[in-house]
Amino acid sequence: MTVTLSLSPSLPHLSSHANFKGFPSPPMAFLRHLNRNRRRFFSIAASVREDTTVWTPASLTGVYPAADSLFHITINVSDSPDIVSSHTRAGQYLQLRLPDIAKPSFLAIASPPKLAEAKGEFEFLVKSIPGSIAELLCGLRKGDVVELTQAMGRGFDIDQITPAEEYPTVLIFATGSGISPIRSLVESGLGANKRADVRLFYGARNLERMAYQEKFKEWESSGVKIVPVLSQPDDNWSGERGYVQAAFARAKNISTPHGTGAVLCGHKQMAEEVTSLLVADGVSTEKILKNF
């Protein structure tokens, strides 16, 4: 069914020389009529968008702590080949909703596309925020059912910094739960072992808030140097302190800006300040990748 909506008001033709004699404030009448049509248009358009969203039930296969206030959640999508095939690139996300709660939550997919193909699972890193849908999600158990959409979003366009020989330097930045799609990227095969300098600046408040520490050795063996940055570490911490952007400013070391790419995911201020530092050093904005 095709729905055609017109915003054109059914008023007599008005020219710049129209005679409004006998009409009570015709310009205001025109605007009221137009506004009514606009409200009707956006209301129907919103309904059409909602009606076209396809929700697929899926069961949780695992829910357990990943760090302080962060939970690792695994969802079985093996019975939904359309959902599996929709995840084609690291950095994509999907919508998830809980039974009896209409409002959905947007979640970045933490697992690489190859995991869904091999095991029929999606993995997520979810921050539990009091009073949020995420908190309810983190409180679920294995076997509980949620509803998912297909994966969406453009993800990280790694083709922009390929081939590896032409972009030997890739700088990756993540803060908090922003490490989730970065994990998907690293484990998707960034070609780090073919590049001379791949660094991941990963910021968190302290080690208790830093997820995926158990994966650091695996990531480093693939060619990614991990640079943890803690904003509120304890006295025993000997690594980088402060914020990611400050740590990067201290250790930029960009020898070939034209051969440098970057990937960012996390706090807005971090992304903006890191972008400014990269651009100031000659890195092209087209080579600075984000997943939104």
Side-chain angles (χ1 to χ4, degrees):
M1 178 181 70
T2 301
V3 179
T4 303
L5 299 175
S6 173
L7 295 183
S8 301
S10 54
L11 292 177
H13 175 72
L14 300 177
S15 71
S16 58
H17 302 290
N19 182 0
F20 296 116
K21 184 177 181 181
F23 284 83
S25 302
M28 291 301 295
F30 177 90
L31 291 175
R32 284 197 297 270
H33 187 85
L34 179 59
N35 285 334
R36 282 196 300 269
N37 271 328
R38 289 182 63 188
R39 287 194 295 270
R40 178 170 176 267
F41 170 81
F42 288 116
S43 176
I44 294 176
S47 298
V48 170
R49 285 196 301 271
E50 183 178 354
D51 290 342
T52 59
T53 302
V54 177
W55 295 95
T56 302
S59 61
L60 275 65
T61 55
V63 182
Y64 56 88
D68 186 15
S69 300
L70 293 171
F71 285 79
H72 184 82
I73 295 178
T74 306
I75 299 179
N76 181 8
V77 292
S78 59
D79 293 332
S80 306
D82 290 346
I83 291 182
V84 171
S85 62
S86 68
H87 188 206
T88 59
R89 182 183 283 175
Q92 287 183 290
Y93 58 90
L94 52 70
Q95 293 184 73
L96 178 149
R97 69 182 183 184
L98 307 181
D100 303 322
I101 299 179
K103 184 179 179 181
S105 180
F106 289 83
L107 298 178
I109 303 171
S111 49
K114 61 186 178 184
L115 182 69
E117 296 173 0
K119 297 180 62 178
E121 290 182 340
F122 278 169
E123 296 181 355
F124 304 89
L125 182 68
V126 181
K127 183 176 182 179
S128 179
I129 302 173
S132 70
I133 296 175
E135 182 184 35
L136 297 177
L137 175 61
C138 295
L140 297 180
R141 298 181 179 180
K142 180 179 179 179
D144 287 340
V145 175
V146 296
E147 292 184 321
L148 308 174
T149 65
Q150 293 186 8
M152 57 186 69
R154 66 186 184 185
F156 298 118
D157 187 4
I158 298 302
D159 290 344
Q160 294 292 324
I161 52 175
T162 302
E165 295 76 16
E166 295 182 16
Y167 297 94
T169 300
V170 175
L171 304 169
I172 309 171
F173 304 88
T175 54
S177 59
I179 193 64
S180 176
I182 296 300
R183 176 204 158 192
S184 180
L185 174 66
V186 171
E187 296 182 6
S188 291
L190 181 62
N193 58 350
K194 299 179 182 178
R195 304 178 194 262
D197 178 20
V198 179
R199 284 174 278 166
L200 166 55
F201 292 82
Y202 176 15
R205 180 177 298 178
N206 49 48
L207 286 177
E208 288 71 29
R209 295 283 185 100
M210 182 166 279
Y212 298 143
Q213 294 180 54
E214 73 282 0
K215 291 182 172 291
F216 286 0
K217 287 185 178 180
E218 174 190 338
W219 293 356
E220 292 213 330
S221 67
S222 73
V224 180
K225 180 182 178 182
I226 312 298
V227 184
V229 185
L230 304 182
S231 60
Q232 298 179 22
D234 61 27
D235 294 337
N236 296 322
W237 177 247
S238 59
E240 290 287 346
R241 294 171 176 262
Y243 294 115
V244 162
Q245 53 269 42
F248 173 57
R250 290 192 294 267
K252 283 188 291 187
N253 191 26
I254 300 177
S255 57
T256 55
H258 63 278
T260 297
V263 184
L264 289 77
C265 191
H267 296 144
K268 181 180 179 181
Q269 181 177 352
M270 180 276 289
E272 291 176 347
E273 293 185 14
V274 167
T275 297
S276 296
L277 289 169
L278 291 168
V279 172
D281 272 4
V283 179
S284 169
T285 56
E286 295 180 355
K287 309 304 177 183
I288 302 174
L289 311 182
K290 301 174 185 177
N291 66 329
F292 54 87

